[in-house]
Amino acid sequence: MEWVLAILLGAAVVLLILSFVKGKQSKSEQEQHIDQVSFSLMDEIHQLQQKVKFMEIDAEITAVEAGTSEVQSDHRLLLREMIDLHRRGYSHESIAQKLKMSLQEVNNLLAPYEKRSTERSKVAQ
């Protein structure tokens, strides 16, 4: 009977040691999987950044070929910011305040873009 208890105790110790070893192996496998996923995400982000850079260059080339000037690009940046604020729910008054413009200027610049959004909603209904 004592031998049986000693064998069972020895087997329990061996199994406990094996479980720790297997746990460490599974942790290293999980870490490798996480590393692979992070590397693939970094690669995808890099590819997207390259595509954005190429699109910016293409837009610049198109602007130069079309003969647009720097003044127009400044206007485009202002308009882009105004449209972004408007789409995020800012009122015309708050946009005018934020960009230090008159309310009439904001209304005039945003009018063509508001018309497009209402026309789309009418088609969708």
Side-chain angles (χ1 to χ4, degrees), residues 12-73:
V13 169
V14 169
L15 290 174
L16 183 64
I17 292 170
L18 286 174
S19 70
F20 281 122
V21 170
K22 286 287 185 178
K24 286 184 180 181
Q25 286 177 350
S26 68
K27 277 186 180 180
S28 69
E29 288 174 2
Q30 289 174 349
E31 288 174 355
Q32 288 175 352
H33 181 69
I34 289 171
D35 286 343
Q36 288 175 347
V37 169
S38 66
F39 287 139
S40 67
L41 284 174
M42 287 174 49
D43 187 42
E44 288 178 21
I45 289 171
H46 177 69
Q47 289 174 358
L48 287 173
Q49 287 174 338
Q50 289 291 343
K51 287 181 182 180
V52 167
K53 185 172 85 172
F54 290 145
M55 288 177 65
E56 289 173 347
I57 291 170
D58 288 343
E60 186 177 340
I61 291 170
T62 304
V64 168
E65 288 177 350
T68 59
S69 67
E70 287 297 319
V71 175
Q72 289 177 337
S73 67

Side-chain angles (χ1 to χ4, degrees), residues 61-97:
I61 291 170
T62 304
V64 168
E65 288 177 350
T68 59
S69 67
E70 287 297 319
V71 175
Q72 289 177 337
S73 67
D74 290 342
H75 176 73
R76 174 175 260 176
L77 290 173
L78 176 68
L79 190 57
R80 183 183 300 155
E81 186 175 356
M82 288 175 63
I83 292 170
D84 180 50
L85 290 171
H86 180 68
R87 287 184 180 168
R88 287 193 281 158
Y90 284 77
S91 67
H92 287 209
E93 292 83 13
S94 60
I95 293 172
Q97 247 181 355

